[in-house]
Amino acid sequence: MSDINSDLVLFNELVEVLINEEKKHPVADRIDSNKLYDSIDLSLNASAMVDEDFKSVLKDVLVSTPKTATNLFFNQLFGGRQSKAVLGDLLAVLLNNSMYTYKVAGPQVGIEQEIIRQSCAIIGYGSQSNGTFPTGGSMSNYMALVMARDAKDTKCRLEGMSKPMVIYTSKESHYSNAKNASFAGIGRNNIRYIQADSEGRMIPTNLEQQIITDLREGFVPTYVNATAGTTVLGAFDPIDKIANITEKYGIWLHVDGAYCGSVIFSDTFKHLVNGIERSDSFSYNAHKMLGTPLTCSILLVNDKKMLHDSFSNEADYLYQTDGDDFNLGKTSFQCGRRNDALKFWTLWKSVGTNGLKHLIDQQFELADIAREYVKSNPDYTLYSFEDSISICFNYKNIDPTTLCTALYENQITVVGFGAFEDNTFVRLVTINANNEKHDILNFFKVIEEFVEKTPHLTRVEVGV
Ligand SMILES: *Cc1c(COP(=O)(O)O)cnc(C)c1O
């Protein structure tokens, strides 16, 4: 058994190994999944492990784990490392509070509430607004849907579903919408997927037409999930126009900003969510554009009563002191809840709101650089649009799935592919605000060099 002091010494040693490794090998040596258990000793045994062996196995695990903080990781909608946020998260682990009551979380409650209050003020929600930190963007969508359902049928909480509810989202929205419809008792078949325009944005007139049809057929339109930054193209649904419709028909409007909702921190890009103050709820993931460690998702609600009505439950053994405003378990999904707020707060506190703006603006600038590069080079085809940090492209008509897999298997760079309408393409995401212009240009260079050296990559007809 060892004490925390010696483990912190070990921690520092391991961190040094990791940071050096990231510099030397920005893409981890890939272990074939079939050989995983033969390559590293992951086994759990009856006997204790001696310290030196323990350290050595930890090093093996660290160096072979995919490196998401380096300048060659572009695979998902997160990346990089904001060190002040890492600091906050390390402290949260050491403190190990649970966010349900003031009694056990103390000032951490104020930290979470300050982030929520400031965020509500930035988007223009009123004095009755509040929010919570769900486990992620999928859970934020789920909690919004449950509030919408309960708002439409106040008896639902007690008696279960009694109305034929239908909900709306665009074809390009996040897949959690389908799962959530099933969890919430609405049913996957009762989602209406609204057509998106040629740039991936929900078409408001199609939404209204569908609502009119549903009303005529006796369905109960309950919820619209609009997206601020669709997962593949990074497109922004027109919130103002959608709000005109949800207000007219009395439907809950949730804006899923998991990917790009953090544009609210930049006066340059905030116009992409014009009308956000008219929504009933809004969520954004600080672990995506703001670079905090996973997970850090913020759900804001225009009327906090809705959050309370859907998620509170009396529990005498838990809520023994202080009021509801300080006992955050009254508005959360979980009981025990990890402190996801502190890491965002340490980041925000240290760089200020201006610093958050800089993180956002930097990503759009990197996106412009990437888009320009693709546009000005005839070997590339571009599939994405302005005002997006997803740069979708194909190179020399090489099948993007083959290319991305080959880049990964050869430890060149980690990037994924996506599809929109009939096209499949490589999706470069410029979400790591620590990157600079040369990192983006280097990404293209390593791809080009790899293709040059790998002549057998299959070509397909793309862009037809
Ligand atoms: C990432 C994403 C989600 C899911 O968020 P998680 O935190 O991964 O659950 C939801 N919606 C959109 C638009 C996303 O990009």
Side-chain angles (χ1 to χ4, degrees):
M1 289 295 132
S2 39
D3 63 293
I4 187 72
N5 289 320
S6 61
D7 280 336
L8 286 177
V9 171
L10 175 60
F11 177 78
N12 279 321
E13 195 183 318
L14 292 170
V15 167
E16 208 176 306
V17 169
L18 178 63
I19 304 285
N20 284 331
E21 178 67 19
E22 284 175 350
K23 283 193 200 121
K24 266 195 295 178
H25 303 116
V27 183
D29 282 349
R30 177 176 173 273
I31 301 174
D32 191 304
S33 54
N34 294 317
K35 301 193 184 111
L36 176 61
Y37 297 99
D38 306 324
S39 309
I40 328 181
D41 178 14
L42 301 179
S43 65
L44 296 169
N45 310 102
S47 54
M49 196 171 208
V50 293
D51 283 355
E52 278 310 305
D53 294 347
F54 179 64
K55 190 198 288 185
S56 137
V57 92
L58 284 177
K59 283 184 184 165
D60 289 348
V61 169
L62 284 182
V63 301
S64 53
T65 296
K67 301 191 181 80
T68 65
T70 72
N71 63 356
L72 284 173
F73 180 84
F74 297 100
N75 200 58
Q76 247 91 36
L77 306 181
F78 69 97
R81 180 184 285 133
Q82 293 302 325
S83 62
K84 286 292 190 294
V86 171
L87 173 69
D89 210 12
L90 293 172
L91 293 173
V93 169
L94 282 169
L95 288 167
N96 198 34
N97 303 102
S98 177
M99 298 303 283
Y100 41 38
T101 61
Y102 188 74
K103 193 176 179 186
V104 299
Q108 302 299 325
V109 166
I111 282 173
E112 182 167 305
Q113 281 292 302
E114 175 64 7
I115 293 172
I116 288 169
R117 268 201 291 258
Q118 290 261 2
S119 302
C120 285
I122 286 171
I123 66 169
Y125 273 0
S127 60
Q128 290 311 302
S129 58
N130 207 280
T132 184
F133 277 60
T135 51
S138 303
M139 179 58 90
S140 295
N141 279 340
Y142 178 65
M143 292 181 74
L145 175 57
V146 169
M147 287 187 281
R149 186 198 67 184
D150 295 348
K152 188 51 88 179
D153 180 2
T154 48
K155 287 196 298 203
C156 195
R157 259 161 50 102
L158 298 173
E159 293 168 15
M161 292 289 286
S162 63
K163 297 184 174 173
M165 292 185 184
V166 287
I167 66 176
Y168 306 82
T169 192
S170 99
K171 281 206 167 83
E172 299 304 310
S173 72
H174 191 255
Y175 71 89
S176 55
N177 280 299
K179 299 199 293 181
N180 293 338
S182 117
F183 304 158
I186 286 168
R188 289 179 190 236
N189 293 344
N190 295 315
I191 306 185
R192 308 289 191 242
Y193 288 103
I194 306 301
Q195 181 68 40
D197 68 14
S198 59
E199 298 193 7
R201 301 165 297 205
M202 188 194 291
I203 304 174
T205 49
N206 287 34
L207 172 67
E208 183 162 18
Q209 274 317 311
Q210 183 64 52
I211 291 170
I212 291 169
T213 307
D214 285 328
L215 285 170
R216 200 186 318 118
E217 293 175 3
F219 291 103
V220 179
T222 299
Y223 169 80
V224 173
N225 180 290
T227 315
T230 56
T231 310
V232 174
L233 285 184
F236 290 81
D237 287 343
I239 300 173
D240 252 329
K241 289 193 179 127
I242 293 172
N244 289 341
I245 300 167
T246 52
E247 284 169 10
K248 181 168 164 191
Y249 295 93
I251 301 173
W252 186 284
L253 172 59
H254 175 69
V255 178
D256 173 5
Y259 181 13
C260 298
S262 303
V263 295
I264 59 170
F265 292 104
S266 166
D267 11 313
T268 317
F269 294 99
K270 170 173 197 182
H271 69 90
L272 295 169
V273 293
N274 272 351
I276 189 69
E277 71 285 354
R278 298 168 68 191
S279 63
D280 297 286
S281 52
F282 167 66
S283 51
Y284 67 100
N285 278 356
H287 69 254
K288 288 185 173 170
M289 284 187 104
L290 294 173
T292 75
L294 284 153
T295 53
C296 188
S297 190
I298 297 94
L299 172 64
L300 307 175
V301 183
N302 213 334
D303 181 356
K304 66 181 173 199
K305 184 176 176 300
M306 309 311 288
L307 191 58
H308 196 270
D309 283 357
S310 290
F311 291 96
S312 73
N313 206 77
E314 289 309 322
D316 293 339
Y317 59 86
L318 184 62
Y319 304 112
Q320 299 176 339
T321 64
D322 308 290
D324 279 359
D325 286 348
F326 287 88
N327 288 332
L328 304 182
K330 288 285 178 88
T331 46
S332 71
F333 182 90
Q334 302 116 283
C335 175
R337 186 164 61 93
R338 139 176 241 292
N339 180 358
D340 284 332
L342 183 57
K343 57 193 167 195
F344 185 15
W345 186 85
T346 49
L347 173 66
W348 193 341
K349 187 87 174 163
S350 66
V351 302
T353 313
N354 295 337
L356 299 185
K357 169 182 163 47
H358 173 75
L359 293 181
I360 302 303
D361 292 355
Q362 174 72 1
Q363 292 162 56
F364 281 100
E365 199 175 310
L366 295 175
D368 283 343
I369 290 163
R371 212 180 295 106
E372 274 316 305
Y373 185 88
V374 168
K375 267 200 230 163
S376 62
N377 190 323
D379 287 335
Y380 288 84
T381 319
L382 181 69
Y383 298 90
S384 54
F385 307 95
E386 305 294 306
D387 288 334
S388 160
I389 62 163
S390 295
I391 314 304
C392 304
F393 67 86
N394 277 316
Y395 179 57
K396 291 190 167 173
N397 287 353
I398 300 167
D399 174 41
T401 59
T402 315
L403 179 60
C404 290
T405 306
L407 289 166
Y408 159 64
E409 288 182 346
N410 291 277
Q411 286 114 232
I412 306 295
T413 180
V414 189
V415 65
F417 51 85
F420 176 63
E421 293 176 342
D422 297 330
N423 297 309
T424 302
F425 36 66
V426 181
R427 182 189 58 163
L428 163 69
V429 180
T430 57
I431 202 158
N432 177 355
N434 291 340
N435 277 342
E436 313 248 354
K437 180 174 182 176
H438 61 85
D439 296 304
I440 300 302
L441 297 179
N442 181 55
F443 165 81
F444 291 112
K445 189 167 137 245
V446 297
I447 291 188
E448 289 160 16
E449 285 172 359
F450 176 72
V451 168
E452 187 72 39
K453 281 190 306 201
T454 321
H456 60 272
L457 289 167
T458 48
R459 319 267 149 168
V460 292
E461 281 304 309
V462 290
V464 282

